[in-house]
Amino acid sequence: MRDPITGDTRLALDLALTVRHDGAGGITDDLHDTTGLTTWVRAHHDTLPDTDGFVADEATLNAVRELRTAVRTLFARAVRPGEPSAADAARLLPLTEALRRLNAAAARTPTVPVLHWADDAEPVVRHQGVPGEGEIVSVLARAAVAFLAGADRERLRACHAPRCVRYFLKEHPRQEWCGPACGNRARVARHHERHKRAG
């Protein structure tokens, strides 16, 4: 059994997964407007700063969407030689642009070392963002950097079940799809294709 995934890995994946199939053969974007971003950020209160009072504005929405495009481009690179998600195949950024966007977003908020020292533990230093404009974008970018530079990246795959546009972490050697529903759709599609060719 694998170790639980890190908060950075979960946050980077969750950002990428705001682009998903809509169940009717199309693609939906959970971050299509400021309300969508506000809802998404508040749902991540355990990993993002100051989410209770967060209300997205257009500038933050655009910054997060630009970051997500860069992250999905880098996810597509990470799954090579496999194919990228069908949602990304025609709209990948050049690698240098994706890296520039990711690194610029990560640098939007300075960090300071903060010492934590519980009574029954050794002192621990954590780097904490200085609150301000761009902090959410910076935290998301830093999570993506940590994921892409970490060991979990090797398990990243694009799901190629019909209509799916998700990325996922492979949990066992035989896993081909992001979840059981996609596995069922893929098996049904293969069965249908075999009968079509035989008939």
Side-chain angles (χ1 to χ4, degrees), residues 115-196:
L115 183 66
H116 297 272
W117 199 347
D119 286 339
D120 59 346
E122 291 294 313
V124 176
V125 175
R126 294 192 179 103
H127 293 272
Q128 181 173 309
V130 176
E133 187 175 324
E135 185 178 11
I136 295 285
V137 178
S138 180
V139 169
L140 291 170
R142 289 169 192 226
V145 167
F147 168 67
L148 290 165
D152 280 337
R153 182 194 76 246
E154 297 297 322
R155 298 169 39 212
L156 185 68
R157 302 291 185 273
C159 183
H160 294 292
R163 300 188 313 271
C164 191
V165 296
R166 295 172 64 96
Y167 287 95
F168 68 96
L169 292 185
K170 190 171 183 165
E171 295 296 326
H172 54 81
R174 294 180 48 191
Q175 183 178 1
E176 295 181 51
W177 304 287
C178 66
C182 280
N184 289 339
R185 270 199 317 278
R187 283 187 285 277
V188 167
R190 279 198 305 239
H191 177 77
H192 178 70
E193 187 60 32
R194 277 195 303 266
H195 282 314
K196 192 168 131 182

Side-chain angles (χ1 to χ4, degrees), residues 2-197:
R2 293 203 179 265
D3 294 332
I5 65 172
T6 66
D8 288 335
T9 295
R10 173 55 46 214
L11 196 53
L13 280 171
D14 284 354
L15 176 62
L17 297 180
T18 57
V19 173
R20 58 187 172 78
H21 65 90
D22 63 7
I27 297 173
T28 191
D29 181 355
D30 292 339
L31 307 182
H32 67 282
D33 60 15
T34 55
T35 301
L37 178 58
T38 299
T39 300
W40 187 83
V41 166
R42 288 183 180 183
H44 289 81
H45 57 85
D46 54 336
T47 52
L48 289 175
D50 302 322
T51 57
D52 291 339
F54 177 80
V55 177
D57 57 22
E58 287 295 328
T60 305
L61 175 64
N62 290 334
V64 170
R65 288 175 59 123
E66 283 188 9
L67 173 61
R68 182 186 60 192
T69 301
V71 166
R72 287 185 67 95
T73 295
L74 295 168
F75 277 20
R77 180 171 188 202
V79 301
R80 289 190 319 193
E83 293 294 319
S85 162
D88 300 326
R91 37 185 137 155
L92 295 174
L93 295 171
L95 178 62
T96 54
E97 176 61 14
L99 290 169
R100 186 200 66 73
R101 282 187 192 184
L102 178 65
N103 291 329
R108 284 179 69 148
T109 303
T111 60
V112 294
V114 177
L115 183 66
H116 297 272
W117 199 347
D119 286 339
D120 59 346
E122 291 294 313
V124 176
V125 175
R126 294 192 179 103
H127 293 272
Q128 181 173 309
V130 176
E133 187 175 324
E135 185 178 11
I136 295 285
V137 178
S138 180
V139 169
L140 291 170
R142 289 169 192 226
V145 167
F147 168 67
L148 290 165
D152 280 337
R153 182 194 76 246
E154 297 297 322
R155 298 169 39 212
L156 185 68
R157 302 291 185 273
C159 183
H160 294 292
R163 300 188 313 271
C164 191
V165 296
R166 295 172 64 96
Y167 287 95
F168 68 96
L169 292 185
K170 190 171 183 165
E171 295 296 326
H172 54 81
R174 294 180 48 191
Q175 183 178 1
E176 295 181 51
W177 304 287
C178 66
C182 280
N184 289 339
R185 270 199 317 278
R187 283 187 285 277
V188 167
R190 279 198 305 239
H191 177 77
H192 178 70
E193 187 60 32
R194 277 195 303 266
H195 282 314
K196 192 168 131 182
R197 281 187 303 220

